[in-house]
Amino acid sequence: MTPLPAPSLRIERRMLRGGLASLACSDEVGRGALCGPVTVGMVLVTETTRSAPPGVRDSKLLTPEARRRLVPKIQRWAPSYAVGHASPAEIDEFGIIAALRLAGHRALAQLAGEPDTVLLDGNHDYLTTPDQGPLFGPPAVLDRIPPVVTMIKADLRCAAVAAASILAKTARDDIMT
């Protein structure tokens, strides 16, 4: 079986050249688990962000030790990064999608500066609060959410999304152990 090509910043740079000053790239872990929190990682990139550290891949493709070794390299490389969690009690109270939104808002709030756009792995925008508002989960952590772009398999194609997946996975694994 041929190994997958390494993700790059090609897509992120194309988006940034389209007029964005910064782009937050995000991935989540724990969505399908029966226990523990749901966790969202975010990595901010700009046009001046260099190539990702060697070895960055979707967290599911790496061993726990490889992920742990990459965390400090990602933290030094990224202009800003964050991890947000929603607890099992919040998942039970509000549901998984609202809990993802809560964890994503918590991560977004920790970034240095507000990104112009957020790139989410997957096909569902769980960050944007639905028009129905508080009837569907907890109140928003943030007053404003930047525009969101979703991309299926972004964690395999986009290095910053893969880096976010590594940060989220290692943070959640630390909680679970």
Side-chain angles (χ1 to χ4, degrees):
M1 180 184 242
T2 306
L4 294 170
S8 70
L9 290 177
R10 188 174 302 120
I11 292 168
E12 295 95 323
R13 287 187 173 129
R14 187 177 332 126
M15 292 176 73
L16 288 161
R17 281 192 303 271
L20 305 177
S22 63
L23 175 66
C25 297
S26 180
D27 199 8
E28 52 79 18
V29 296
R31 182 178 184 166
L34 297 176
C35 63
V38 66
T39 301
V40 174
M42 295 228 180
V43 169
L44 189 79
V45 292
T46 67
E47 274 201 76
T48 61
T49 303
R50 296 168 303 159
S51 294
V56 167
R57 302 273 187 288
D58 174 21
S59 64
K60 294 181 292 297
L61 301 176
L62 299 170
T63 65
E65 181 55 36
R67 288 190 297 263
R68 278 192 292 279
R69 281 194 317 267
L70 282 166
V71 167
K73 295 174 183 180
I74 292 167
Q75 291 171 335
R76 285 189 302 270
W77 163 74
S80 184
Y81 62 89
V83 174
H85 307 279
S87 71
E90 291 168 324
I91 296 167
D92 290 344
E93 182 177 353
F94 303 118
I96 190 63
I97 298 301
L100 272 171
R101 181 170 38 264
L102 190 57
H105 284 205
R106 288 173 175 160
L108 199 54
Q110 295 174 59
L111 291 177
E114 183 181 315
D116 294 319
T117 296
V118 179
L119 174 60
L120 289 182
D121 179 52
N123 65 353
H124 177 71
D125 173 7
Y126 55 79
L127 270 185
T128 304
T129 304
D131 291 337
Q132 295 91 347
L135 294 174
F136 291 89
V141 174
L142 301 169
D143 293 331
R144 186 184 105 66
I145 299 297
V148 172
V149 174
T150 60
M151 180 182 294
I152 296 170
K153 301 289 184 196
D155 51 2
L156 295 175
R157 299 166 40 193
C158 302
V161 175
S165 81
I166 292 167
L167 296 179
K169 177 77 171 131
T170 55
R172 186 177 187 281
D173 284 355
D174 287 347
I175 290 168
M176 295 306 293
T177 55

